[in-house]
Amino acid sequence: MNLATAFNNCAQKHAQKTAIFYGEREITYAELQSQSLKLAAHLQNNLGVKPGDRVALWLKNCPEFVVCVFGILQTGAAVVPINNFLKPAEVSYILNDGGIDVVITDAELSAHSAELKTARPSLKFFQIEEIATHPTPNSQLPSPSSSRTEKDLAVIIYTSGTTGKPKGAMLSHGNLLHNVNSCRIVLESVPDDCLAVLLPLFHTYMMTVGIFLPFTSGGSIVLVKSLHPPRAMLQEIFSRRATILPAVPSFYRMMLAAQIPTPQPIRI
């Protein structure tokens, strides 16, 4: 078992269920899987990504972030999420340290591609806005993902570098699957749960709890577009009937100050 096969099994079981709520958009599991397979095929066929490679994901929170995580894993490569607030020089350090030759980003951040390529000439870029233009592959699954085991590398999370140069923590499929299972037990999560995502997905906390947990157990997420104004953001979470809200203490204090009407659907 690996993260890609766990997701594919879940997507086939819950194909018509909404996986992601994003503003007015509602993306089903079938659509999420189809887009991830499109991306995987492009990474393999046009950018030469192979099992064991590392692919950087330099994006803000958006539905395509989730698509890209599973698209990369479908190829058998490892995901390297990068803080979207980093400067090009900081990103270049991670790309060189991780031996990364493919970067997935968006139109805004791709403005730095020339600078990044100067520091690492082997770099190839893909913009998420292009996903929709690629055809759906004929085969149901790109074969490399099925051969990955729990011992294989799945994600490299770089530390913030507050005490020196950032260091890449190498996480296997088994590391993350066991972590997800622990979260499932502690949170008593079920497929009916809807998880509010407002913290950065590039962080290990939200990647585990906001992507891998719901999308291997049949849950949904409300991917919050903006934290401002707070009352409108909270209304979005409540209107989508979110049941789990991972956040930080300052956010919970803000909720208390906002005097939100009760009851709310959130149970944790």
Side-chain angles (χ1 to χ4, degrees):
M1 178 66 73
N2 60 57
L3 289 162
T5 55
F7 164 69
N8 287 323
N9 292 340
C10 185
Q12 289 162 17
K13 183 177 179 180
H14 302 279
Q16 299 311 310
K17 179 179 180 179
T18 299
I20 301 175
F21 296 97
Y22 185 66
E24 298 301 315
R25 290 175 63 186
E26 296 185 10
I27 302 167
T28 66
Y29 267 95
E31 293 168 330
L32 183 59
Q33 184 184 35
S34 174
Q35 290 179 26
S36 75
L37 293 176
K38 279 186 182 183
L39 176 64
H42 179 74
L43 292 174
Q44 290 172 289
N45 299 333
N46 301 102
L47 297 179
V49 174
K50 305 180 298 300
D53 287 350
R54 293 95 183 268
V55 177
L57 189 50
W58 195 28
L59 284 178
K60 302 173 183 177
N61 279 16
C62 60
E64 288 75 19
F65 193 109
V66 181
V67 170
C68 291
V69 166
F70 288 114
I72 294 168
L73 293 174
Q74 303 276 21
T75 69
V79 182
V80 186
I82 298 178
N83 185 337
N84 60 275
F85 294 108
L86 293 183
K87 300 293 189 292
E90 296 170 311
V91 175
S92 289
Y93 173 81
I94 291 174
L95 298 177
N96 282 304
D97 183 72
I100 299 164
D101 290 325
V102 175
V103 179
I104 301 176
T105 187
D106 59 20
E108 180 182 349
L109 290 173
S110 67
H112 302 292
S113 59
E115 184 176 351
L116 295 177
K117 196 169 178 63
T118 298
R120 188 171 178 81
S122 59
L123 281 181
K124 302 172 187 175
F125 295 88
F126 178 79
Q127 290 184 27
I128 57 170
E129 291 83 0
E130 301 174 22
I131 291 177
T133 66
H134 291 281
T136 302
N138 294 326
S139 58
Q140 186 179 12
L141 297 176
S143 57
S145 67
S146 60
S147 65
R148 309 307 282 174
T149 71
E150 289 195 2
K151 294 183 179 180
D152 286 313
L153 182 64
V155 176
I156 301 178
I157 297 282
Y158 271 83
T159 62
S160 59
T162 52
T163 59
K165 293 291 187 181
K167 300 173 182 63
M170 304 171 74
L171 304 175
S172 70
H173 288 270
N175 290 151
L176 291 160
L177 285 168
H178 285 283
N179 197 8
V180 164
N181 192 50
S182 296
C183 292
R184 186 179 294 119
I185 293 169
V186 171
L187 299 177
E188 298 180 346
S189 63
V190 294
D192 288 337
D193 275 319
C194 182
L195 194 140
V197 174
L198 47 93
L199 299 177
L201 286 170
F202 63 74
H203 193 277
T204 183
Y205 174 38
M206 285 315 297
M207 178 169 282
T208 301
V209 178
I211 297 180
F212 295 137
L213 173 61
F215 299 131
T216 58
S217 60
S220 304
I221 68 170
V222 181
L223 187 55
V224 176
K225 296 186 75 168
S226 175
L227 301 182
H228 303 285
R231 193 173 183 85
M233 177 263 296
L234 290 170
Q235 184 58 42
E236 178 182 0
I237 292 172
F238 298 147
S239 66
R240 292 300 191 181
R241 310 299 297 172
T243 56
I244 301 176
L245 175 57
V248 292
S250 58
F251 184 85
Y252 296 129
R253 287 195 293 270
M254 181 273 292
M255 285 184 67
L256 288 173
Q259 298 180 347
I260 302 300
T262 56
Q264 289 97 35
I266 293 173
R267 65 178 181 84
I268 298 180

